[in-house]
Amino acid sequence: MRHLLDTDTLSREDAILILDTAAQMAATQEREMRKLPTLRGRTVVNLFFEDSTRTRISFEAAAKRLSADVINFSAKGSSLSKGESLKDTALTLQAMGADAVVVRHWASGAAHRLATSGWMHGHVLNAGDGTHQHPTQALLDAFTMRRHLVSEPTGKALEGLTFAIVGDILHSRVAGSNIPLLKTLGANVVVVAPPTLLPYGMTEREDIAIHYTLDDALDAHELDGIMMLRVQRERMTGGGSGFFPSPEEYTRLFGLDGDRMRRMPDHAIVLHPGPMNRGLEISAEAADSPRSVIVEQVSNGVAVRMASLYLLLAGEEAAE
Amino acid sequence: MTDTATAYVIENVSLYGDTRADLVLKDGVIASLSAADAPEGAVTLRGEGLIALPGLVDLHTHLREPGREDAETIETGSRTAARGGFTAVHAMANTTPTADTAGVVEQVWSRGREVGLVDVFPVGAVTVGLGGTQLSEMAAMANSRAQVRVFSDDGKCVHDPLLMRRALEYVKTFGGVVAQHAQDPRLTEGSQMNEGLVSSELGLAGWPSVAEESIIARDVLLAGHVGSRVHICHLSTAGSVEIIRWAKAKGIDVTAEVMPHHLLLTDESVRGYDARFKVNPPLRTQKDVDAVREGLADGTIDIVATDHAPHPDEDKDCEWGAAAMGMIGLETALAIVQKTMVDPGTLSWRDVARVMSEAPARIGRDGGHGRPLEAGEPANVTLVDPGAAWTVEPAATASRSNNSPFGGIELPGRAVATFLRGVPTHLDQALEGVRA
């Protein structure tokens, strides 16, 4: 692997390798001395064109625990707002000798552009591009699912398990990465959303089950896990451009509360990429229940990002 | 510039690809179809293997001057047009300042005259500042020296249905036409590419076909209702072809244009997020490409126009979402029509003369262009070598910008000479060898 840009082009072997490596990384994090010397002397730049404190500190923690030097570069402007262009930023990072760039950008395809434009030679990790993908989020979700639902998980995928993804599929890069990765790993994918928040053409896909209410999905499937997506409040505002009429109606049709949670099999887990809107897409009872693995997702995120950085940077040395 | 007094004789050339003749160009007109009538001292070119067409006319060009001379000027735009075989271009109104007054259109027109490589016909804005709220002084532009007949807010849709109705009615005063950029603004807010399976995969906001088709449907109905003619810019979808076909069957006075890039490329090109493929209306699907080719072949679509839209590197060498929309196309248009329509056998060269010269000149009311290749007619002539294959090198263009999506593509032929009123505005180096 040279870059980690999306989960469409991630092979099953590489995905499982990342999950297995993440498991080893997670084991090291239970020791008293958590820091590994693996990436000493390498420079990882966190290039964030969009605010995301959670993702940035997760990548920062991952890089630091591998002893890499970390530079945080917050470029809040864009070439649209006459800030520095992506190209000039890339040229700057190249000149500074960045070995890997973790990029979060408001434009779909920005990570792809950075990796393929020839502006810089470092490895590119996509930490979320527009409404396209967020591959390490999907990998940490898969890691969490595998840990809870697959016995002796090393080397295994998610064969035959069924997961529902609920909410704003249209704008969610989390869904954008999770759906292909779950399919690659052999899982069944159930999508639950109002028709206004489904991407064009998704209803014609035969490899995905689609439901327009959460109750229908719970009736139709024995779920092993359910992933509630964050609802952006700005999606429901604006004359005529709201994707659904009101928060209350959304919660009635798509919110996960205690009653709906109990209709899932006992072993089923509840995931959320955070930050949560408690009371909107998920109730406090569901979020704080023993089935919820939401806090664990955060710590697994560090392990998966350690694994990704390690495989891109140290894997390169092994190959050379 | 060559002396206007020089006469040219093109010996044994194929007129329209079907009739052998000589062309004697003298004093701005086609003096004769026989070399025997050539005056002494005339420059002779051998026409074997070449096809003569009436000079090409582009109804949809962005020359960027005034305002964005970093992207293109009337001079560089005229040069790239001449090199592409064009003798006339219609310069769109979305400049800075907007071409919405007699002063601006006269400035563009006279600068085109000064450069002298093509006839530059300014398009006037339908509404003041392309704002979509108040009609511009169209009669003043029509009666100016620029004699504007085509009016368009291109880049923006004349969205207000009542304003569109008024514009359609008003231009009847001077035989004008409204050229509509058909794009429902609400249905395309924030749109980045064609709405389809590819946009879903790439996470780019979609520009649905219906946003074009709904405006075209409304405007053909309006044109029929008020008895005006309407022209549809850059038609790009299969549904739009059906609507135009229906409207023509009803006798509505509608004409439509298609772009070379919509004849050749699809939204699959967007997968690499390379902004050279970002254009408005966006590249559509193969089904749409097939439909616009069919529409052009059966006459539903009247003309091919380029939508030549130069942008400097910094507006393309960036992330997709920040990139400008548009592609240059004057030098590649004819060759793409050959590749997609002539070589497969769906259009003859006589048809090419119709869709790239005669019909656009008729729609634009361009006197002296799109005329028959006959004695006494203006000597606006393009010579095509249909066997001169070439590979597109965007940096080699005469345009000031090089944002071509066709870099690296091999095209089958090209314009090797262009004459504007008998004066060569483009003579391919390859032609030097056939100079007798």
Side-chain angles (χ1 to χ4, degrees):
Chain A
M1 275 189 296
R2 169 142 185 79
H3 306 292
L4 181 57
L5 303 178
D6 57 56
T7 57
D8 291 314
T9 53
L10 188 66
S11 71
R12 184 180 162 103
E13 292 67 34
D14 282 343
I16 291 173
L17 177 62
I18 294 172
L19 299 184
D20 290 349
T21 309
Q24 293 168 15
M25 294 293 174
T28 68
Q29 297 308 297
E30 284 157 19
R31 297 181 200 153
E32 200 165 318
M33 180 58 199
R34 295 186 191 173
K35 196 152 176 158
L36 306 174
T38 322
L39 296 183
R40 190 181 293 152
R42 314 300 290 272
T43 301
V44 175
V45 175
N46 287 322
L47 175 59
F48 277 59
F49 286 83
E50 223 181 40
D51 281 335
S52 175
T53 310
R54 295 167 150 259
T55 303
R56 186 181 58 73
I57 61 175
S58 179
F59 270 105
E60 187 171 350
K64 284 183 169 165
R65 287 182 194 173
L66 292 169
S67 303
D69 296 322
V70 178
I71 299 171
N72 286 313
F73 192 138
S74 174
K76 267 207 71 187
S78 68
S79 33
L80 279 180
S81 64
K82 297 296 172 203
E84 187 174 56
S85 72
L86 184 62
K87 179 178 180 176
D88 287 324
T89 307
L91 294 173
T92 303
L93 299 180
Q94 173 69 16
M96 288 179 182
D99 296 298
V101 174
V102 174
V103 61
R104 162 68 67 98
H105 201 286
W106 53 266
S108 298
H112 193 280
R113 199 83 174 114
L114 211 52
T116 58
S117 59
W119 300 329
M120 53 169 284
H121 303 305
H123 302 274
V124 177
L125 274 94
N126 184 3
D129 62 324
T131 56
H132 179 221
Q133 290 227 351
H134 189 1
T136 57
Q137 177 71 43
L139 286 159
L140 78 87
D141 292 335
F143 180 80
T144 307
M145 293 164 173
R146 193 175 78 153
R147 198 172 220 203
H148 281 270
L149 300 166
V150 178
S151 59
E152 295 176 26
T154 305
K156 291 184 184 165
L158 298 170
E159 226 68 57
L161 297 173
T162 302
F163 299 99
I165 303 175
V166 186
D168 183 357
I169 312 295
L170 178 63
H171 301 97
S172 170
R173 50 195 168 208
V174 177
S177 281
N178 262 292
I179 292 170
L181 183 64
L182 289 172
K183 298 309 297 182
T184 299
L185 294 174
N188 304 311
V189 176
V190 177
V191 160
V192 187
T196 49
L197 288 172
L198 284 174
Y200 179 90
M202 187 169 269
T203 51
E204 274 132 65
R205 281 181 67 164
E206 288 175 1
D207 60 341
I208 293 175
I210 292 178
H211 296 279
Y212 296 142
T213 71
L214 184 49
D215 287 328
D216 288 350
L218 291 169
D219 287 342
H221 304 277
E222 289 275 300
L223 298 177
D224 297 296
I226 189 165
M227 181 184 305
M228 308 307 296
L229 299 175
R230 176 178 170 79
V231 174
Q232 307 265 345
R233 285 183 187 273
E234 62 265 27
R235 301 285 183 225
M236 47 200 155
T237 58
S241 69
F243 289 88
F244 50 90
S246 70
E248 292 75 18
E249 180 144 312
Y250 184 89
T251 304
R252 278 196 292 274
L253 294 176
F254 302 100
L256 184 69
D257 58 12
D259 289 341
R260 282 179 176 147
M261 183 177 68
R262 282 184 284 276
R263 287 164 61 191
M264 296 195 295
D266 290 340
H267 68 273
I269 56 174
V270 175
L271 300 97
H272 192 297
M276 290 183 278
N277 293 303
R278 285 173 182 257
L280 181 48
E281 71 265 8
I282 190 166
S283 73
E285 186 186 359
D288 299 331
S289 81
R291 295 167 175 231
S292 164
V293 295
I294 296 168
V295 176
E296 190 193 323
Q297 284 175 274
V298 177
S299 51
N300 290 342
V302 176
V304 160
R305 285 161 185 143
M306 287 173 77
S308 304
L309 285 167
Y310 169 78
L311 289 169
L312 290 187
L313 285 165
E316 174 196 52
E317 270 173 5
E320 274 166 5
Chain B
M1 189 56 47
T2 315
D3 183 357
T4 48
T6 307
Y8 282 82
V9 185
I10 304 132
E11 287 183 338
N12 197 25
V13 70
S14 172
L15 308 185
Y16 307 99
D18 54 30
T19 312
R20 290 248 154 237
D22 309 318
L23 282 173
V24 180
L25 313 182
K26 183 173 173 292
D27 298 330
V29 297
I30 300 172
S32 162
L33 297 185
S34 166
D37 301 328
E40 202 161 319
V43 174
T44 304
L45 303 174
R46 288 204 205 105
E48 284 90 0
L50 304 184
I51 293 165
L53 301 176
L56 307 183
V57 176
D58 189 16
L59 202 62
H60 194 143
T61 312
H62 296 273
L63 293 181
R64 302 294 187 223
E65 185 179 349
R68 285 304 302 269
E69 291 83 355
D70 59 326
E72 193 81 283
T73 64
I74 291 170
E75 182 175 354
T76 58
S78 295
R79 186 163 293 124
T80 187
R83 209 192 264 193
F86 289 89
T87 53
V89 299
H90 287 255
M92 277 298 173
N94 60 340
T95 49
T96 312
T98 307
D100 58 2
T101 62
V104 177
V105 295
E106 284 199 352
Q107 180 194 344
V108 171
W109 177 81
S110 61
R111 180 68 191 132
R113 281 273 145 164
E114 255 170 51
V115 172
L117 292 168
V118 290
D119 282 346
V120 175
F121 296 114
V123 174
V126 176
T127 65
V128 174
L130 309 181
T133 53
Q134 185 191 348
L135 291 180
S136 59
E137 291 188 353
M138 291 190 274
M141 292 187 265
N143 296 327
S144 74
R145 283 188 299 150
Q147 295 189 40
V148 177
R149 289 295 177 272
V150 181
F151 294 87
S152 182
D153 278 0
D154 181 62
K156 291 187 177 173
C157 183
V158 181
H159 177 237
D160 181 334
L162 184 57
L163 192 80
M164 184 62 181
R165 175 197 171 139
R166 300 274 190 256
L168 287 169
E169 290 175 311
Y170 192 74
V171 295
K172 283 199 272 193
T173 324
F174 36 80
V177 64
V178 176
Q180 175 68 296
H181 171 116
Q183 174 181 6
D184 187 299
R186 284 286 275 155
L187 285 172
T188 52
E189 274 173 21
S191 62
Q192 294 289 325
M193 68 171 295
N194 178 54
E195 180 170 292
L197 298 176
V198 181
S199 66
S200 295
E201 264 184 63
L202 297 184
L204 291 171
W207 195 136
S209 297
V210 63
E212 173 173 310
E213 292 152 6
S214 58
I215 295 293
I216 295 177
R218 180 198 77 178
D219 287 351
V220 295
L221 292 171
L222 276 176
H225 181 64
V226 300
S228 291
R229 63 186 181 119
V230 66
H231 178 72
I232 304 300
C233 294
H234 43 53
L235 179 152
S236 69
T237 79
S240 299
V241 176
E242 280 187 60
I243 294 165
I244 300 289
R245 197 173 277 136
W246 172 87
K248 287 189 167 182
K250 290 273 178 191
I252 292 168
D253 195 0
V254 59
T255 52
E257 71 192 24
V258 64
M259 303 300 158
H261 46 266
H262 289 131
L263 290 170
L264 186 62
L265 302 174
T266 69
D267 59 356
E268 292 290 331
S269 300
V270 181
R271 286 190 184 279
Y273 295 99
D274 183 338
R276 286 180 305 143
F277 297 102
K278 187 172 178 181
V279 64
N280 191 28
L283 300 176
R284 303 288 187 184
T285 66
Q286 188 61 46
K287 178 177 77 96
D288 298 300
V289 168
D290 294 342
V292 294
R293 286 187 188 187
E294 191 190 329
L296 183 61
D298 70 16
T300 302
I301 296 172
D302 302 82
I303 67 169
V304 175
T306 67
D307 201 0
H308 177 82
H311 291 288
D313 282 352
E314 58 267 30
D315 289 343
K316 286 292 191 181
D317 201 11
C318 56
E319 57 274 32
W320 183 274
M325 299 192 188
M327 320 171 148
I328 60 169
L330 284 163
E331 287 177 42
T332 45
L334 177 66
I336 289 168
V337 170
Q338 184 187 344
K339 181 186 173 80
T340 57
M341 304 299 297
V342 179
D343 288 354
T346 38
L347 282 190
S348 66
W349 284 105
R350 200 168 272 275
D351 294 326
V352 174
R354 172 171 52 80
V355 301
M356 295 189 77
S357 177
E358 294 156 10
R362 192 184 68 242
I363 294 165
R365 302 291 191 257
D366 306 337
H369 290 275
R371 302 290 306 163
L373 294 172
E374 288 169 8
E377 293 288 350
N380 297 323
V381 180
T382 298
L383 298 183
V384 185
D385 184 344
W390 58 298
T391 302
V392 181
E393 289 175 50
T397 179
S399 170
R400 192 157 218 182
S401 296
N402 57 20
N403 53 304
S404 168
F406 304 116
I409 291 181
E410 179 161 315
L411 294 175
R414 63 172 184 265
V416 292
T418 310
F419 294 88
L420 177 64
R421 286 182 285 278
V423 177
T425 53
H426 160 57
L427 272 182
D428 194 284
Q429 285 173 337
L431 212 59
E432 300 291 328
V434 296
R435 238 178 232 247

